[in-house]
Amino acid sequence: MSHAYGPVPRKEDARFIRGQGTYVDDIKLPGMLHGAILRSPLAHARIVAVDANAALAHPSVVAVLTGEDLAERGMAWMPTVFGDVQAVLATDKVRFQGQEVAFVVATDRYAARDALELIVVDYEPLPPLIDPLTALDPGAPVIREDLPDGNRVFDWTAGDKPATDAAFAAADVVVGCDMIYPRSHPAPLETCGAIADYDAVNGRLTLWSTSQAPHAHRVMYAALTGIPEHKIRIVSPDLGGGFGAKVPIYPGYLCAVAASQATGRPVKWVEDRSESLMSTAFARDYHMHGEIAATADGEILGLRARVLADHGAFNAAAQPSKFPAGFFHIFTGSYRTRAAYCEVTGVFTNKAPGGVAYSCSFRITEAVYLVERLTDMLARRLGMDPAELRMRNLLRPEQFPYTGPTGWQYDSGDYPRALRLALDMAGYDELRREQAERRARGEYMGIGLSFFTEGVGAGPRSHMDIMGLAMSDGADLRVHPTGKAVLAVSVQTQGQGHETTFAQLVAEELGLSPDDVDVVHGDTDRTPFGLGTYGSRSTPVSGAAAVVAARKVRERARLVAAAMFEASPDDLEWLDGKWRVRGDPDQALGIAEIAMAAHSTIELPTGIEGHLDASAVYNPPNLTFPFGAYICVTDVDPGTGEVKVRRFIAVDDCGVRINPMIVEGQVHRGLADGIGIALMQAISFDEIGNCLSGSFMDYLLPTSLECPSPELGATVTPSPHHPVGAKGIGESATVGSPPAVVNSVVDALAPFGVTHADMPLTPANVWLAIQAAGRLS
Ligand code: MCN
Ligand code: CUM
């Protein structure tokens, strides 16, 4: 066996740590102009007139685009990734604060920004709709006159209602709760941006842009601009994080395209931090009512959920089209239940569009939060230890593959083993003893558990698509005469280390060193078609494509090697990274020697035209189902409401780990996300729709001060259907950690009678929860 898997240092870090990365904003083209967007100050208003004359008179301004200008080009509205439309520049109304109204193009960025103030927009204010709970009230302001169904985006259900009602009727205990998963934002350090370069002579558009899905985006640009797809090249260079924010396309990108067409020059647009927080894809905003039914001794019988989803002004959720609530209906989590039923209603409000971003696992974040909060509440009601209640209800290893009550088929798992490991690592019994002692001293320490199952790697093409494009991914593998290889993939790393791990995948299959394999991505002219990186699908889908392509190369190499040995291909075996003659293992040929021979003048066997190159398109038979057991220890000061995360124990199982160091890095990152979401982050609005979280002074990112050094553990349960048994990991910790933090804080506050508090658990919210519970300890 060769061993290309393992904690190989990341190839890409050589340039990143030296500041040698190339991000969109680093690219400067000759004659390039700079765009800036005028945004609406109001959440809801009719546009009476836009007067750009003063801005056009500014000496550095080259052009101003308004909604009317785009309408003439058929570009005032663009498709969203969920099949809705979104205004590129508003023509009729503005529908959220920060919405795009006009685009100024100038010779430098500063002038473009300055000139925004010279544009005069006459707005006629309309009553804003901010609270999603009132969106369907009769008489609520109508946001989308272009749609037939008022403010309703969709109604969607999953599961078996009668069976669930019967399970609840048979239960000894039912616990229910309203909970909010607040609107949050992925806030990648690099904001979104693009440079459009339209070549009128050849009719070609090159667009450098921050894109997690370059091929899918190219299809959208082709549909919108009328430029044929083969004349559009999307280049997504180094990305400074995406976290879901770079899955959709944004009005600014299209303004850059239209401006380049209008001026004949390259046009760059890069948003600033406030624009990013106020207008690009948000996440969550789920208003949930959940209920759990159980027997008196703690056997879970059923789960129910009713959800109101705030989608903002346009439905731009980036998720498979047959699932308007994403994968929320996996909300039975990691437990056996007889029945489950959920209803989700999506509504429009006067807020920025999005909904699916920030390591969302297509809404599994919300689902895991719901079931893990309910499980803790049930334990409290029954007077059971939450670890014991979970252990008793976790799916058993022999139940896999397991088909859940809402239709998911979980591929593999050993849940009790992961939970036991986490409890051991934490020293759980000792922690509970310490907690009791501290409580006796008036100190409030919390221990919070969560157990999560994700479904990642969308998707089987039979029922998963985005904009009608089935979710499979391609890989092209070229093997040069000297045995050096280049792998081209359709997915796009934003910091996850694909240049390293995808090289490891190929190297492992071909007996090469990862240094011998270069990975090309993020350029539609150089890579095969595929749907891109999100939903932790790169390893499950594109990684599988890379492995399949490598195995094809290996099989071609076998035929060539057989010719070189003058043996039958059937007499060869692949051992320790080489083709060997069975029974005579000293007769061995590695891929480099075989590749050279394949390019030489030797007589090749039939079926081999010349070289070893191969390609593959991978259509996953199912999602992969990573899982994990998390324990968060907090200390809460009831006087100030301050929460300190003292310890975080995280046991993750993502099947076979290609690069355990990168996997751990992903978990570190996700735990920081989860701590941020649980304790400090929310995109909030005042009653007229002013966004109150438009800067990092208001929208807080966790730092090393808020995040302890996590204690990580691993179990390995391979996916039975993935070619190397790997499952995705990129979102696991963001999905799994918020309920552990909240469960921990609520556990700390149990003596005050607190049973639930909504995120973010800021000092103020913790203090209010203590006051509201009314039992001052
Ligand atoms: N990996 C591995 N072994 C496994 C699984 C994964 O070695 N069994 C490695 C992969 O090869 C890859 C990394 O871990 O290098 C993450 O793989 P995967 O789980 O397939 O996730 P994706 O590569 O598809 O990344 C997407 C995921 C998502 S959806 C968000 S959101 C997110 C995340 O990754 N955004 C990130 N992690 C991020 N990390 C960084 N640094 N920046 C972002 O924007
Ligand atoms: Cu939903 S955030 Mo990631 O899937 O890019």
Side-chain angles (χ1 to χ4, degrees):
M1 277 277 295
S2 73
H3 288 290
Y5 294 1
V8 175
R10 301 193 342 156
K11 295 181 175 203
E12 42 273 83
D13 288 346
R15 64 176 190 281
F16 290 155
I17 61 176
R18 289 176 174 83
Q20 303 280 307
T22 304
Y23 301 89
V24 165
D25 205 20
D26 293 322
I27 296 168
K28 295 172 178 64
L29 301 179
M32 187 171 79
L33 301 171
H34 297 262
I37 293 177
L38 180 71
R39 294 176 182 277
S40 169
L42 300 173
H44 201 190
R46 195 163 303 287
I47 295 182
V48 181
V50 181
D51 180 353
N53 285 322
L56 274 167
H58 186 291
S60 301
V61 169
V62 179
V64 177
L65 295 176
T66 63
E68 295 306 324
D69 299 325
L70 289 189
E72 282 168 23
R73 298 171 172 270
M75 286 174 67
W77 292 81
M78 65 178 195
T80 70
V81 267
F82 205 72
D84 190 10
V85 292
Q86 174 175 351
V88 179
L89 293 176
T91 45
D92 53 341
K93 294 205 298 186
V94 288
R95 293 172 169 85
F96 64 93
Q97 188 191 46
Q99 189 180 334
E100 299 79 1
V101 175
F103 190 72
V104 171
V105 187
T107 49
D108 67 84
R109 183 177 164 97
Y110 305 98
R113 296 295 290 247
D114 285 349
L116 293 179
E117 289 174 20
L118 303 175
I119 301 176
V120 183
V121 185
D122 184 2
Y123 293 106
E124 177 188 311
L126 295 166
L129 170 54
I130 305 306
D131 179 359
L133 302 180
T134 65
L136 301 177
D137 289 354
V142 176
I143 298 173
R144 296 287 299 277
E145 291 84 353
D146 56 319
L147 296 177
D149 215 5
N151 295 324
R152 190 183 304 271
V153 188
F154 63 85
D155 281 313
W156 193 73
T157 65
D160 183 336
K161 186 169 179 354
T164 307
D165 290 345
F168 272 77
D172 302 318
V173 196
V174 172
V175 178
C177 185
D178 285 329
M179 47 186 116
I180 297 175
Y181 207 131
R183 182 175 272 242
S184 60
H185 195 280
L189 277 190
E190 181 207 25
T191 57
C192 293
I195 304 169
D197 187 10
Y198 183 68
D199 165 359
V201 175
N202 297 301
R204 294 188 73 94
L205 170 67
T206 306
L207 187 74
W208 287 264
S209 83
T210 49
S211 168
Q212 295 180 221
H215 288 277
H217 285 182
R218 185 173 58 178
V219 177
M220 297 174 84
Y221 289 112
L224 190 70
T225 61
I227 302 170
E229 209 179 333
H230 66 298
K231 291 191 186 279
I232 300 178
R233 177 182 180 196
I234 310 288
V235 184
S236 188
D238 288 329
L239 296 185
F243 306 105
K246 294 164 183 173
V247 181
I249 62 173
Y250 293 114
Y253 304 167
L254 280 155
C255 288
V257 171
S260 180
Q261 287 183 309
T263 61
R265 291 165 69 175
V267 176
K268 179 189 276 187
W269 168 75
V270 177
E271 67 185 3
D272 69 17
R273 182 60 58 194
S274 292
E275 295 182 284
S276 171
L277 289 168
M278 289 175 64
S279 72
T280 64
F282 73 92
R284 328 288 192 253
D285 218 338
Y286 256 33
H287 303 250
M288 311 187 271
H289 178 77
E291 287 175 292
I292 190 166
T295 63
D297 58 357
E299 185 193 331
I300 298 174
L301 299 178
L303 277 151
R304 272 200 292 238
R306 224 176 36 244
V307 178
L308 190 69
D310 185 340
H311 277 246
F314 305 100
N315 187 19
Q319 63 202 0
S321 68
K322 294 193 177 57
F323 302 89
F327 297 166
F328 178 80
H329 56 305
I330 199 168
F331 76 114
T332 56
S334 314
Y335 309 110
R336 298 180 299 267
T337 49
R338 284 191 206 160
Y341 179 70
C342 63
E343 309 174 326
V344 185
T345 294
V347 295
F348 291 115
T349 59
N350 288 117
K351 298 176 195 165
V356 178
Y358 205 178
S359 295
C360 63
S361 215
F362 295 137
R363 303 279 192 196
I364 295 178
T365 31
E366 290 91 328
V368 165
Y369 181 74
L370 183 86
V371 66
E372 290 304 301
R373 283 295 300 124
L374 289 174
T375 308
D376 251 43
M377 289 179 200
L378 177 64
R380 176 92 76 91
R381 172 73 65 85
L382 293 171
M384 269 176 89
D385 182 277
E388 189 191 326
L389 179 71
R390 285 183 172 81
M391 199 57 103
R392 144 164 231 158
N393 288 285
L394 284 177
L395 293 165
R396 302 273 138 204
E398 62 276 11
Q399 288 180 284
F400 290 89
Y402 166 79
T403 302
T406 53
W408 298 100
Q409 196 191 77
Y410 298 12
D411 58 350
S412 65
D414 187 341
Y415 294 180
R417 180 166 60 133
L419 180 53
R420 266 194 304 273
L421 177 58
L423 294 170
D424 287 349
M425 286 171 58
Y428 187 71
D429 296 339
E430 183 49 42
L431 281 176
R432 286 287 175 205
R433 266 195 295 279
E434 182 192 341
Q435 181 184 43
E437 279 168 29
R438 284 182 185 267
R439 276 190 186 161
R441 292 205 296 270
E443 292 171 15
Y444 297 90
M445 159 185 172
I447 306 164
L449 276 72
S450 80
F451 199 103
F452 67 90
T453 301
E454 283 187 278
V456 299
R461 60 181 294 139
S462 56
H463 60 289
M464 289 190 193
D465 71 275
I466 287 191
M467 302 172 309
L469 302 169
M471 301 183 76
S472 37
D473 281 74
D476 286 351
L477 180 57
R478 293 193 193 170
V479 183
H480 297 325
T482 56
K484 309 294 180 203
V486 177
L487 175 75
V489 288
S490 51
V491 289
Q492 166 65 39
T493 186
Q494 311 125 50
Q496 295 91 332
H498 292 177
E499 287 165 47
T500 307
T501 48
F502 277 67
Q504 290 180 273
L505 283 168
V506 169
E508 175 74 15
E509 297 302 321
L510 296 182
L512 299 173
S513 156
D515 289 337
D516 291 338
V517 186
D518 260 3
V519 177
V520 176
H521 55 91
D523 181 343
T524 53
D525 271 10
R526 296 174 65 205
T527 56
F529 188 86
L531 277 242
T533 291
Y534 40 85
S536 302
R537 62 190 300 281
S538 303
T539 306
V541 187
S542 200
V547 170
V548 171
R551 288 181 182 170
K552 287 185 183 172
V553 165
R554 202 166 69 194
E555 280 310 302
R556 295 168 75 95
R558 175 197 203 124
L559 300 181
V560 177
M564 294 165 76
F565 286 133
E566 297 182 358
S568 154
D570 294 338
D571 290 338
L572 301 194
E573 61 180 344
W574 180 259
L575 198 69
D576 277 339
K578 292 186 167 175
W579 282 116
R580 296 169 198 270
V581 179
R582 223 182 287 275
D584 186 3
D586 289 343
Q587 286 222 64
L589 287 168
I591 290 293
E593 296 154 279
I594 302 171
M596 186 58 86
H599 286 85
S600 75
T601 57
I602 69 161
E603 192 169 330
L604 292 170
T606 36
I608 301 290
E609 302 84 6
H611 45 59
L612 299 180
D613 302 359
S615 60
V617 177
Y618 192 74
N619 170 33
N622 189 5
L623 303 175
T624 65
F625 291 78
F627 56 92
Y630 290 0
I631 300 175
C632 175
V633 183
T634 55
D635 295 295
V636 182
D637 180 338
T640 61
E642 194 185 357
V643 176
K644 275 213 152 44
V645 179
R646 191 204 305 177
R647 287 177 69 194
F648 212 115
I649 295 92
V651 172
D652 274 277
D653 191 322
C654 58
V656 172
R657 294 180 172 209
I658 301 148
N659 188 320
M661 180 192 68
I662 287 180
V663 167
E664 292 199 347
Q666 290 289 306
V667 175
H668 279 221
R669 189 215 93 237
L671 295 178
D673 286 352
I675 290 169
I677 291 166
L679 298 183
M680 50 217 281
Q681 295 175 349
I683 298 285
S684 50
F685 298 85
D686 69 9
E687 63 283 0
I688 57 166
N690 291 309
C691 179
L692 304 178
S693 320
S695 82
F696 280 163
M697 295 293 283
D698 314 290
Y699 187 77
L700 303 181
L701 297 196
T703 68
S704 57
L705 295 179
E706 286 81 23
C707 302
S709 237
E711 302 158 57
L712 304 188
T715 60
V716 174
T717 313
S719 168
H721 62 76
H722 186 275
V724 303
K727 304 180 177 188
I729 187 69
E731 297 154 298
S732 290
T734 318
V735 170
S737 56
V741 178
V742 175
N743 285 344
S744 184
V745 174
V746 173
D747 182 53
L749 300 179
F752 296 97
V754 174
T755 55
H756 178 70
D758 281 324
M759 299 183 285
L761 296 175
T762 56
N765 286 344
V766 168
W767 191 84
L768 285 171
I770 295 171
Q771 308 306 309
R775 193 205 304 164
L776 294 180
S777 174

